[in-house]
């Protein structure tokens, strides 16, 4: 059953960062939505990004590699002081992608990869984010590594 309840402040803020900063490259929203002590831990990169400037630089890196990057929110749950989101990233790899010490030259390939993120809020600002995209799937789609996975149909054949 669909709900008609208005979005919570945290949900609105989360969606604005996804839409405006990540999908549109409008970074001013980060100054409004992120706390000074904000820390984003991104597991595929094996590092954390501290503060608005480091987080903006992270987003810029991905937007330079995939200018049409879009964050699609598939499911979003608000509980207490956290927002948990299941999302998909789509984009076309048109610039150098810098990931974990690698520089991946443009492939021209489109990618679609899922991920999950948990964001914690203190009042009206996001203070912490834990993000885990399916980086292996993205690397397979870009042809950087060969896929060894099988689908359910292939496994049962």
């Amino acid at each position: 059953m669909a709900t008609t309840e208005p979005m919570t402040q945290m949900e609105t803020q989360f969606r604005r960062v996804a839409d405006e900063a990540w999908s549109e490259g409008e970074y001013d929203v980060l100054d409004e939505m992120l706390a000074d002590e904000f820390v984003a831990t991104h597991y595929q990169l094996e590092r954390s990004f501290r503060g608005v400037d480091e987080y903006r630089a992270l987003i810029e890196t991905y937007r330079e590699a995939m200018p049409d990057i879009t964050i699609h929110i598939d499911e979003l749950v608000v509980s207490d002081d956290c927002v948990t989101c299941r999302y998909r990233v789509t984009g076309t790899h048109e610039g150098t992608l810098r990931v974990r010490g690698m520089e991946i030259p443009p492939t021209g390939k489109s990618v679609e990869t899922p991920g999950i993120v948990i964001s914690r809020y203190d009042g009206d600002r996001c203070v912490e984010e834990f993000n885990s995209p399916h980086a292996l799937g993205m690397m397979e789609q870009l042809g950087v590594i060969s896929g060894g996975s099988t689908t359910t149909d292939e496994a049962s054949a």
Side-chain angles (χ1 to χ4, degrees):
M1 172 190 282
T3 180
T4 57
E5 293 179 26
M7 286 190 286
T8 67
Q9 180 180 358
M10 290 187 304
E11 180 179 359
T12 300
Q13 289 173 305
F14 183 92
R15 288 179 183 275
R16 284 191 63 200
V17 170
D19 293 342
E20 294 175 34
W22 280 95
S23 297
E24 298 169 13
E26 299 295 330
Y27 304 117
D28 290 343
V29 70
L30 300 176
D31 294 317
E32 294 176 48
M33 302 294 148
L34 306 182
D36 292 339
E37 68 274 14
F38 175 76
V39 177
T41 300
H42 283 244
Y43 294 110
Q44 87 283 10
L45 300 176
E46 294 185 329
R47 70 167 284 204
S48 294
F49 300 85
R50 298 186 181 283
V52 172
D53 291 339
E54 284 189 14
Y55 193 64
R56 179 183 293 118
L58 167 70
I59 298 171
E60 288 173 340
T61 298
Y62 277 92
R63 290 194 52 77
E64 288 169 5
M66 292 183 273
D68 63 345
I69 191 170
T70 304
I71 306 298
H72 306 271
I73 296 175
D74 293 328
E75 185 175 14
L76 193 139
V77 177
V78 177
S79 178
D80 297 325
D81 62 349
C82 291
V83 172
T84 302
C85 178
R86 186 174 52 81
Y87 65 90
R88 285 174 296 119
V89 175
T90 58
T92 308
H93 183 212
E94 297 177 357
T96 301
L97 180 61
R98 291 170 179 82
V99 192
R100 295 177 79 179
M102 296 186 305
E103 289 196 4
I104 304 165
T107 63
K109 295 181 179 181
S110 294
V111 297
E112 180 173 346
T113 187
I116 190 163
V117 62
I118 301 170
S119 297
R120 189 175 63 78
Y121 291 78
D122 183 5
D124 64 348
R125 301 282 179 131
C126 184
V127 294
E128 194 171 33
E129 171 183 290
F130 299 94
N131 194 331
S132 186
H134 184 26
L136 181 61
M138 182 189 305
M139 295 301 133
E140 288 175 348
Q141 291 173 43
L142 293 176
V144 175
I145 60 173
S146 62
S149 62
T150 59
T151 65
T152 305
D153 292 337
E154 291 170 337
S156 61

